[in-house]
Amino acid sequence: MKDVVISSLRETLKKVCDRVPEGFILTPPREESHGDYSTNVAFLLAKELRKSPRDIAREIADKLPQEVFFAEAVNGFINFRLKPQLLKEEFSKLLKEKGKYFFKSVDKPLYLQLEFVSANPTGPLHVGHGRGAVLGDVLSRVLKEFGYKVYREYYINDAGNQVHMLGLSVLYRYYQLCGKEEEGLKEVFEKEGYRGNYVVRLARDLSVFYGDKLLQLPQDGAINLAKDYAHRRLLEDIKETLELLGVEFDRWFSEKSLYQSGLVEEVVKLLEEKGYVYEQDGALWFRSTAFGDDKDRVLRKSDLSYTYFASDIAYHWDKFKRGFDKVINLWGADHHGYERRLLGALRALGVPEGWLRVEFVQMVRLLSGGQEVRMSKRTGEFLTLQELLEEVGRDAVRFIFLTRDSDTPLDFDIDLVKRKTSENPVFYVQYAHARVRGVFREVKERYGLDVEEDLTPYVEGLNSEEDLKLIKRCLGLRDVYEGVLQNLSPHLITYSLIELAKDFHHYYNHHRVMVEDRNLMLSRLALFKGVEITLKKAFEVLGIKAPERM
C-alpha cells in the first residue's frame, strides 16, 4: 500500500521543488488516529527552500492528488489516510492473488549468499545458535519470495586448535575409561579442554567402537583419531538438531578445504603483494589499522601456523570468486569487534565496499518459573537447542526467536509458550487461523457454502470501521515484507501478526458471521478469507504450521 502513496508523493515533490530529496521516509504514525502513513519530507526541504516545514507541508499536501487518500499537513509532517475504496480494491486483489499479493519480484534480483549458524562443531548447539538459525532461514525465505537467488551456507570450523582440543579432550576421557593416566595430557585438558558430559559420552562411544586400539597408538595419532570421530559425530548432531528446527543449507563449507586447496596461503600472498602485510617478531601481520581497526592483526604466527583471521579472509575471498553479488553474514554478538578487520581485509583485496553485510544476533535467556534456566534437568549441563525443541516444539521456538530485533537480547519464557492463552503469542496467532477455519467448516455444514469460491464481489459490503481496520492489517503485511527486505528484520513479521490476531479475535468476539442477511454473511466470509490468506502466507514464511483446529 505504501507504494501508492510514495508514487503520488514523488510526482508532487517534482512539481514543488523539482526534485525528490534523499532520506525522506514514509512510516505509520505513532498514533493510528493520525492516519495510515506519515512523512518527514518537509523537514528535509526546509533549509533548501528557506521555508518552515509547516508551510512546505501545507503546500505539498494541497497539491497532492486526493483520489485514493486524504493528505493533511500537521506540525510539519504530512499524514495520509487511505480511502475505503482503495482499501477494498486492494483487498479484492489479495483474495484473487492470494499469497503472491504480498511479494512483487524485484527488477534486478541478486545472487546472494547467506551464511549463518556456523557454530564450531565442538559441542551441541545452544539456544543462541538456534536464534541465528531461525533468523537466517526466515531471511532466506523472504529474499526468495522477492525473486532473489539465495545460497545458504554453513561454515564448518574444522581446522585449528579448537578441533585439536576437542580430540585431546575426548582422548583424555577415553584414557580415563581405560584406566590409563597421562599427566601431560591431564595438564593440558584441565587448562584448555572441553568439560561437558557430551565429551564423556563421545569417549564412551569411542571405546565401544575402537576398543583398546587407541591405547596402542602414539598420542598424536590417537588425538587425531579421536578428533575425527568426535567432530563427525558432533556435526551429525548439529545437522539433526537443525533438521528438527526446520533449517536447511545448500552447502556445508569446510575450513580445512581452504588449507588443502592452498587458498589461505594464496590470499596472504595477495595481501603481501598489495603492501598490507609485514613481518614482525617472526609473525606475519595485516595492516588492519589502515582500515580503521584499533591494532594490526596476525595472519601467520611465529610457529608458521595461520590464524582464524587468515582463513576467514580466504573464505570470503572464495565467496567473492564464486560470483555472489552480495554476501550476508549472521554472527553472534561476541563477534562485534571482528567485523572491521574483515571488511578492511576485503577492501585491501579489492572487494567492493558494501559487498559484505554483517548482522549480529544477541544471546537468548531461557526463563521458567520466573527464574533463568541454565541447566538441563536431564543432563545437568547447559540446556541445548535440541532439548528446548523437545520441550516446547518447533513452532514456539521459531516464532519466539523472531519476536525481538536480532541485535537485542531475548528472554524466552518456557512456561509462557506452553500455555494455551492469549498471553502466549504463538498460540494467540495460530488460534486466529484455527478460528477462521472453524467458521468455514461450520458455514459449509450449515449452508453448503464453499469459501474457496470467488468472494471478491462481496468485499464491497465491508464498510464498518472494524472491517476496514482488519483489511488494513492484512494489506499492511506487504509493507512489512518490504521492510524485512530492506532492513533484514524478520521480527517485523511476528509483531504484525500479533497485531492482526488481536484485531481479528476482537472482531470475531463482536461480529457474528452467520447472520440472516446473506450478503452481509458473504462479506464477512470474504474478510475472514483475507485473514486466512494473510496468516497462512506469513506462517509459510516463518516456517510454522497453519493449524486447522486447536
Side-chain angles (χ1 to χ4, degrees):
M1 295 301 297
K2 187 185 292 187
D3 53 344
V4 177
V5 179
I6 288 177
S7 178
S8 295
L9 183 56
R10 285 181 177 276
E11 289 301 314
T12 304
L13 286 171
K14 290 175 184 177
K15 297 175 184 176
V16 172
C17 59
D18 205 29
R19 73 178 186 89
V20 179
E22 293 183 6
F24 90 83
I25 58 173
L26 191 70
T27 58
R30 290 182 180 179
E31 296 182 28
E32 289 185 12
S33 60
H34 290 172
D36 300 308
Y37 299 107
S38 182
T39 181
N40 64 339
V41 69
F43 291 90
L44 301 178
L45 292 170
K47 185 176 181 180
E48 177 186 338
L49 299 181
R50 296 182 180 180
K51 295 179 182 179
S52 72
R54 289 171 181 262
D55 291 340
I56 297 171
R58 279 196 293 268
E59 184 179 355
I60 295 172
D62 288 343
K63 293 183 178 179
L64 279 164
Q66 305 279 333
E67 288 86 2
V68 296
F69 55 72
F70 300 103
E72 180 185 19
V74 180
N75 298 326
F77 291 92
I78 304 173
N79 295 336
F80 300 86
R81 188 182 306 279
L82 301 174
K83 290 187 175 181
Q85 194 55 41
L86 174 66
L87 294 172
K88 289 190 279 190
E89 287 172 6
E90 288 294 317
F91 196 67
S92 294
K93 289 181 187 177
L94 186 157
L95 293 180
K96 289 178 180 177
E97 298 173 14
K98 297 185 167 45
K100 293 179 181 179
Y101 172 83
F102 299 103
F103 300 94
K104 181 182 178 183
S105 294
V106 293
D107 295 331
K108 295 180 179 179
L110 302 177
Y111 181 29
L112 301 177
Q113 193 245 26
L114 193 58
E115 183 217 326
F116 54 106
V117 188
S118 298
N120 296 336
T122 53
L125 294 179
H126 57 62
V127 292
H129 296 136
R131 189 180 186 190
V134 173
L135 177 69
D137 183 63
V138 174
L139 281 177
S140 70
R141 291 168 186 246
V142 172
L143 290 164
K144 285 179 181 179
E145 291 284 357
F146 280 104
Y148 289 100
K149 183 180 179 182
V150 183
Y151 196 78
R152 301 158 299 179
E153 198 155 294
Y154 187 116
Y155 181 54
I156 310 168
N157 294 111
D158 53 4
N161 186 60
Q162 60 194 4
V163 183
H164 174 79
M165 287 309 305
L166 172 66
L168 185 148
S169 302
V170 172
L171 181 65
Y172 175 74
R173 294 302 192 191
Y174 169 87
Y175 282 166
Q176 282 187 325
L177 291 171
C178 296
K180 180 179 179 179
E181 286 293 331
E182 287 283 344
E183 287 301 320
L185 202 65
K186 179 181 180 182
E187 184 180 345
V188 178
F189 172 80
E190 291 182 346
K191 186 178 180 181
E192 301 180 61
Y194 291 94
R195 303 297 187 90
N197 286 337
Y198 70 92
V199 176
V200 177
R201 292 192 292 273
L202 286 169
R204 191 177 296 119
D205 292 344
L206 194 67
S207 67
V208 171
F209 194 79
Y210 287 104
D212 62 356
K213 181 179 177 180
L214 275 70
L215 298 175
Q216 302 161 28
L217 295 176
Q219 192 175 98
D220 286 348
I223 288 175
N224 283 332
L225 194 151
K227 175 186 72 176
D228 291 342
Y229 176 81
H231 166 263
R232 186 172 66 253
R233 282 287 306 278
L234 286 170
L235 196 56
E236 288 171 357
D237 289 346
I238 287 171
K239 290 181 178 180
E240 180 183 325
T241 301
L242 290 172
E243 186 178 346
L244 288 173
L245 188 58
V247 175
E248 297 179 352
F249 289 91
D250 299 299
R251 183 176 183 181
W252 295 72
F253 191 104
S254 164
E255 179 189 4
K256 195 187 299 182
S257 70
L258 297 169
Y259 290 96
Q260 293 168 341
S261 66
L263 190 59
V264 177
E265 188 175 351
E266 176 190 322
V267 164
V268 171
K269 284 183 178 177
L270 273 173
L271 290 170
E272 196 169 5
E273 290 169 4
K274 292 174 179 289
Y276 291 106
V277 173
Y278 64 93
E279 188 172 349
Q280 182 177 303
D281 301 326
L284 284 181
W285 296 72
F286 171 64
R287 297 184 189 278
S288 190
T289 50
F291 300 95
D293 201 1
D294 58 342
K295 61 181 179 180
D296 292 343
R297 306 291 173 172
V298 177
L299 295 172
R300 192 181 70 202
K301 294 180 278 189
S302 57
D303 64 2
L304 302 183
S305 65
Y306 287 100
T307 61
Y308 292 120
F309 181 42
S311 59
D312 273 352
I313 299 171
Y315 176 45
H316 286 81
W317 180 239
D318 177 83
K319 294 184 187 187
F320 184 67
K321 292 200 302 181
R322 277 189 269 160
F324 296 116
D325 297 311
K326 193 175 182 67
V327 165
I328 301 167
N329 286 353
L330 304 182
W331 287 351
D334 56 335
H335 286 69
H336 258 292
Y338 197 77
E339 179 185 13
R340 182 173 293 176
R341 74 189 75 163
L342 179 59
L343 290 174
L346 293 177
R347 282 176 60 194
L349 289 167
V351 175
E353 198 167 351
W355 175 80
L356 171 65
R357 178 168 175 175
V358 178
E359 293 291 318
F360 293 99
V361 184
Q362 289 283 352
M363 292 297 293
V364 179
R365 189 171 67 129
L366 295 174
L367 301 173
S368 181
Q371 300 296 316
E372 185 172 359
V373 179
R374 294 180 181 273
M375 312 298 282
S376 163
K377 293 177 182 178
R378 189 173 77 230
T379 66
E381 297 180 278
F382 72 90
L383 192 71
T384 66
L385 175 60
Q386 184 159 342
E387 288 173 311
L388 181 63
L389 284 164
E390 291 168 355
E391 181 81 8
V392 301
R394 178 195 292 183
D395 289 358
V397 170
R398 290 183 68 101
F399 193 96
I400 297 298
F401 277 167
L402 293 172
T403 52
R404 293 287 183 276
D405 184 356
S406 63
D407 204 16
T408 303
L410 173 70
D411 284 347
F412 190 118
D413 191 326
I414 295 173
D415 300 328
L416 178 67
V417 298
K418 288 181 176 181
R419 296 178 198 152
K420 294 184 177 180
T421 68
S422 60
E423 294 177 306
N424 175 0
V426 192
F427 174 84
Y428 193 58
V429 170
Q430 288 184 315
Y431 187 42
H433 184 273
R435 269 184 155 177
V436 170
R437 296 303 301 170
V439 168
F440 292 166
R441 283 193 301 273
E442 190 173 350
V443 164
K444 190 168 186 178
E445 291 171 7
R446 190 181 298 187
Y447 302 102
L449 288 173
D450 186 358
V451 293
E452 299 308 320
E453 294 179 2
D454 184 14
L455 293 170
T456 54
Y458 302 99
V459 171
E460 196 58 40
L462 296 170
N463 296 305
S464 73
E465 186 177 332
E466 292 88 348
D467 292 337
L468 297 174
K469 185 176 183 181
L470 206 47
I471 285 175
K472 282 193 279 189
R473 287 288 187 210
C474 293
L475 300 177
L477 262 293
R478 191 164 75 172
D479 291 344
V480 169
Y481 294 127
E482 285 279 355
V484 175
L485 178 66
Q486 297 300 322
N487 304 311
L488 304 184
S489 303
H491 71 282
L492 299 173
I493 303 172
T494 56
Y495 175 81
S496 297
L497 289 181
I498 292 168
E499 292 300 305
L500 171 58
K502 181 177 70 175
D503 288 342
F504 169 77
H505 288 306
H506 181 271
Y507 190 99
Y508 180 92
N509 292 327
H510 291 82
H511 299 276
R512 288 177 55 221
V513 175
M514 283 162 279
V515 293
E516 291 184 9
D517 185 333
R518 183 181 174 83
N519 285 335
L520 179 58
M521 177 173 67
L522 289 167
S523 292
R524 289 177 177 172
L525 285 173
L527 181 62
F528 277 34
K529 189 63 182 176
V531 171
E532 181 203 16
I533 292 168
T534 305
L535 290 173
K536 197 167 187 177
K537 188 61 186 181
F539 292 169
E540 179 186 325
V541 169
L542 295 178
I544 66 175
K545 297 186 189 75
E548 292 284 318
R549 292 177 170 85
M550 290 181 73

